[in-house]
Amino acid sequence: MTEPTTHRLTWDDLPERVHARVADVLGAPVHAHRSAHGGFSPSTAEVVTARNGRTAFVKAVTARTNAGSMRLNLQEAGNLEHMPPAVPAARLIASFSEGPWFVLMIEAVDGSLPTLPWAPSMLDAVLETLDVLQREATPSPLPSAPSVPDQIGEDLRGFERVHADPPADLDPWIRARIGDLATAGTDGIASLDGDTLCHTDLRADNLLVRSDGSVVIVDWAWAGRGSRVADALQLFASVDDADGALDVDARIDALMDRHGAPRSDATDVLAGILGFFVDASRWDVDPSLPTLGEHRRRSRDRLLPMVRRRWEREGRP
C-alpha cells in the first residue's frame, strides 16, 4: 500500500464559506465526503458528493499552511485548464480563491491507487497509458510549460553537491566513483529534453486505476515539456523491485530501445535521480511534511542497487 506522507487538511478543516462555494459549483450542498491518501502536500484531498449526485475531488490550502503547496495548486489549475480531452488526466471542474484559501475542484475518478508492490500487469498498464499521453500530447499542448531539464535539472546535480561536501555515512560504492556519478547525472539532464507533454512527477500515488483497468494520471502541478521516456524513467526510479520479479532493468532497456534512445541515457538519468535522494536525505524537513525525510532515505536505498547493476553491466569504472 502507498503510505500517506504528510498530515493533510480535511473537509472539516475548511471554513463554511469554502463549503458554500463548492456547493454552488456542484449545484447542491455536499452531503458526503471521504479523504484520499498518498502524496506530500498538506492540501485537502477530499472526494465530495453533493445531494444531486455530482462529485468532485477538492484540493484546498492556504499559503500560511504551506506556501509551496499553494504555489503548486495554482500551477496545477493553470495546467489543467489547457489539458486536451484525449490526455488520460482528471479534468478541472473549477478553481477559485475564497479569502486565504485556494481551491481546485477536479473530476473525481472512480478508481484507486495501484496496489503495491507492483504487479507486472499493472506496470504494463501504466506504461501503455504513457504511450497514449505521448501520442496525444506531442507536441505539448502547454507551450508555456517549462522544459523538464529546466524543472528538475538542478535536482539531478545532487551528486555534484555530494562530491563537494560528502556526508560521513556516504555509501562506499558511491564514494569510490562520486565524480563519475556526478558527470552521469549532468549528462542525464540533456537527455530529458523534448517536445512531449510530461507529468514530471510520476509515481504510484499520482495514478488512479479504474475498475476496467484503465489508468488516469493525476496531480499535474509539475507538467513540462520533455522526452518521450522522461515520465517512464521517473516511474521506474520509484518502483521497488528488490526480488527482481518485475525485471525493471529489462523493461527500462526495452523502453529506451523502442524510442531509439541509448540505454546508457537511462542509467545517467537514474544516477541523477539517485544523486538527488542521496543529497536530499540530509536536508532539513518542513514540519508540515513530517515523513518526507524517511521517504527520501527509502528512495535512496531502493534506487542504489538498480543504478549499481546498470553501471557495472555497462562496464563503467
Side-chain angles (χ1 to χ4, degrees):
M1 296 290 292
T2 297
E3 298 177 349
T5 55
T6 191
H7 300 304
R8 285 191 179 274
L9 297 166
T10 69
W11 177 253
D12 292 334
D13 293 317
L14 302 180
E16 285 302 318
R17 62 184 184 274
V18 171
H19 290 181
R21 289 286 298 273
V22 170
D24 285 345
V25 172
L26 294 178
V30 170
H31 80 99
H33 58 88
R34 62 177 175 83
S35 299
H37 300 289
F40 299 96
S41 171
S43 298
T44 61
E46 299 285 311
V47 178
V48 301
T49 303
R51 293 192 184 279
N52 60 5
R54 293 189 65 190
T55 62
F57 181 72
V58 177
K59 298 173 72 169
V61 74
T62 68
R64 183 176 180 179
T65 301
N66 188 285
S69 292
M70 170 73 91
R71 174 177 55 83
L72 292 176
N73 286 4
L74 286 164
Q75 287 178 194
E76 182 174 13
N79 291 334
L80 290 178
E81 283 178 0
H82 299 94
M83 196 69 67
V87 169
R91 306 294 153 208
L92 181 67
I93 298 171
S95 63
F96 59 85
S97 294
E98 180 61 46
W101 294 90
F102 180 70
V103 182
L104 284 86
M105 296 177 63
I106 301 169
E107 172 192 5
V109 177
D110 185 13
S112 58
L113 297 175
T115 300
L116 301 182
W118 285 93
S121 59
M122 179 53 61
L123 195 54
D124 288 339
V126 175
L127 294 174
E128 290 170 4
T129 301
L130 293 179
D131 287 342
V132 174
L133 172 61
Q134 294 152 15
R135 183 173 65 247
E136 300 295 339
T138 304
S140 172
L142 306 180
S144 63
S147 73
V148 173
D150 284 346
Q151 282 181 299
I152 66 173
E154 193 59 30
D155 290 344
L156 269 60
R157 296 184 186 276
F159 274 133
E160 293 183 10
R161 296 184 287 274
V162 173
H163 193 191
D165 181 24
D169 62 348
L170 185 62
D171 179 88
W173 185 87
I174 293 175
R175 188 181 295 275
R177 48 193 52 78
I178 184 64
D180 291 327
L181 286 165
T183 298
T186 301
D187 291 344
I189 296 169
S191 72
L192 294 175
D193 201 10
D195 64 349
T196 291
L197 174 64
C198 295
H199 182 274
T200 324
D201 191 27
L202 201 67
R203 57 181 189 267
D205 59 333
N206 285 335
L207 300 164
L208 290 172
V209 185
R210 294 190 177 105
S211 58
D212 63 2
S214 62
V215 177
V216 179
I217 306 172
V218 299
D219 290 341
W220 282 89
W222 293 102
R225 293 175 291 103
S227 78
R228 291 173 179 261
V229 301
D231 278 340
L233 289 178
Q234 280 196 300
L235 176 66
F236 282 130
S238 72
V239 172
D240 188 351
D241 190 28
D243 60 4
L246 296 171
D247 205 3
V248 167
D249 279 332
R251 290 171 184 270
I252 292 171
D253 288 343
L255 170 78
M256 303 305 283
D257 293 348
R258 185 156 55 88
H259 290 286
R263 295 179 178 184
S264 59
D265 282 358
T267 305
D268 289 341
V269 171
L270 294 168
I273 296 173
L274 172 62
F276 167 77
F277 285 119
V278 172
D279 185 35
S281 293
R282 55 189 179 169
W283 297 353
D284 292 336
V285 174
D286 185 328
S288 68
L289 306 173
T291 61
L292 184 55
E294 179 58 27
H295 163 78
R296 290 166 174 166
R297 291 186 289 273
R298 286 199 310 267
S299 298
R300 173 198 64 193
D301 296 343
R302 182 188 63 244
L303 188 53
L304 174 56
M306 181 194 300
V307 171
R308 181 171 180 171
R309 283 195 308 271
R310 296 186 64 85
W311 192 273
E312 293 175 349
R313 191 181 70 200
E314 293 171 9
R316 303 196 192 198

